[in-house]
Amino acid sequence: MYSSLRQAARDLENHGQLLRIKEEVDPDLEMAEIHRRIFARGGPAILFEHVKGSPFQALSNVYGTK
Protein backbone atom coordinates (compact mmCIF):
# COMPACT_ATOMS: atom_id res chain seq x y z
CA MET A 1 0.00 0.00 0.00
CA TYR A 2 1.24 3.49 -0.84
CA SER A 3 1.21 6.38 1.60
CA SER A 4 0.94 8.95 -1.21
CA LEU A 5 0.33 9.32 -4.91
CA ARG A 6 3.94 10.47 -5.26
CA GLN A 7 5.09 7.14 -3.83
CA ALA A 8 2.88 5.28 -6.31
CA ALA A 9 4.35 7.32 -9.18
CA ARG A 10 7.89 6.49 -8.02
CA ASP A 11 7.01 2.80 -7.98
CA LEU A 12 5.56 3.03 -11.49
CA GLU A 13 8.74 4.73 -12.69
CA ASN A 14 10.95 2.13 -10.99
CA HIS A 15 9.07 -0.55 -12.93
CA GLY A 16 9.27 1.23 -16.30
CA GLN A 17 5.59 2.16 -16.24
CA LEU A 18 5.85 5.97 -16.10
CA LEU A 19 6.51 8.42 -18.92
CA ARG A 20 7.69 11.86 -17.84
CA ILE A 21 6.68 14.80 -20.03
CA LYS A 22 9.18 17.52 -19.16
CA GLU A 23 7.99 20.18 -21.62
CA GLU A 24 5.28 22.65 -20.62
CA VAL A 25 1.84 21.45 -21.71
CA ASP A 26 -1.43 23.32 -21.96
CA PRO A 27 -4.17 21.80 -19.78
CA ASP A 28 -6.78 22.95 -22.31
CA LEU A 29 -6.96 19.95 -24.68
CA GLU A 30 -3.19 19.39 -25.14
CA MET A 31 -2.82 17.19 -22.06
CA ALA A 32 -5.93 15.22 -23.00
CA GLU A 33 -4.65 14.62 -26.53
CA ILE A 34 -1.26 13.42 -25.27
CA HIS A 35 -3.05 11.12 -22.82
CA ARG A 36 -5.38 9.80 -25.55
CA ARG A 37 -2.51 8.96 -27.92
CA ILE A 38 -0.43 7.21 -25.25
CA PHE A 39 -3.45 5.29 -23.93
CA ALA A 40 -4.37 4.16 -27.48
CA ARG A 41 -0.91 2.59 -27.80
CA GLY A 42 -1.24 0.82 -24.45
CA GLY A 43 1.23 3.23 -22.94
CA PRO A 44 2.27 3.78 -19.36
CA ALA A 45 1.17 6.30 -16.76
CA ILE A 46 2.12 9.88 -17.61
CA LEU A 47 3.61 12.56 -15.38
CA PHE A 48 3.19 16.05 -16.79
CA GLU A 49 5.94 17.96 -14.99
CA HIS A 50 5.08 21.49 -16.19
CA VAL A 51 1.40 22.31 -16.60
CA LYS A 52 0.85 25.77 -18.08
CA GLY A 53 -0.60 28.16 -15.52
CA SER A 54 -0.32 25.72 -12.61
CA PRO A 55 2.26 25.21 -9.87
CA PHE A 56 1.28 21.52 -9.74
CA GLN A 57 2.34 18.50 -11.75
CA ALA A 58 -0.34 16.17 -13.14
CA LEU A 59 -0.39 12.38 -13.17
CA SER A 60 -2.51 10.63 -15.78
CA ASN A 61 -3.37 7.09 -16.88
CA VAL A 62 -2.43 5.61 -13.52
CA TYR A 63 -5.06 2.87 -13.77
CA GLY A 64 -6.02 3.10 -17.45
CA THR A 65 -3.63 0.70 -19.17
CA LYS A 66 -3.24 -2.96 -18.32
Side-chain angles (χ1 to χ4, degrees), residues 2-65:
Y2 302 114
S3 62
S4 69
L5 189 55
R6 186 177 308 272
Q7 186 182 27
R10 267 194 295 263
D11 189 48
L12 286 167
E13 187 168 39
N14 289 339
H15 288 90
Q17 294 297 312
L18 181 73
L19 173 64
R20 287 179 174 266
I21 305 290
K22 297 181 183 295
E23 295 81 13
E24 183 179 74
V25 294
D26 193 321
D28 185 26
L29 302 179
E30 184 179 22
M31 284 175 60
E33 181 60 16
I34 292 168
H35 171 102
R36 187 192 68 76
R37 289 180 186 195
I38 291 171
F39 179 81
R41 287 186 254 142
I46 309 157
L47 178 63
F48 296 97
E49 294 185 351
H50 301 285
V51 180
K52 184 177 180 180
S54 175
F56 302 104
Q57 297 180 335
L59 187 60
S60 177
N61 203 34
V62 176
Y63 306 111
T65 304

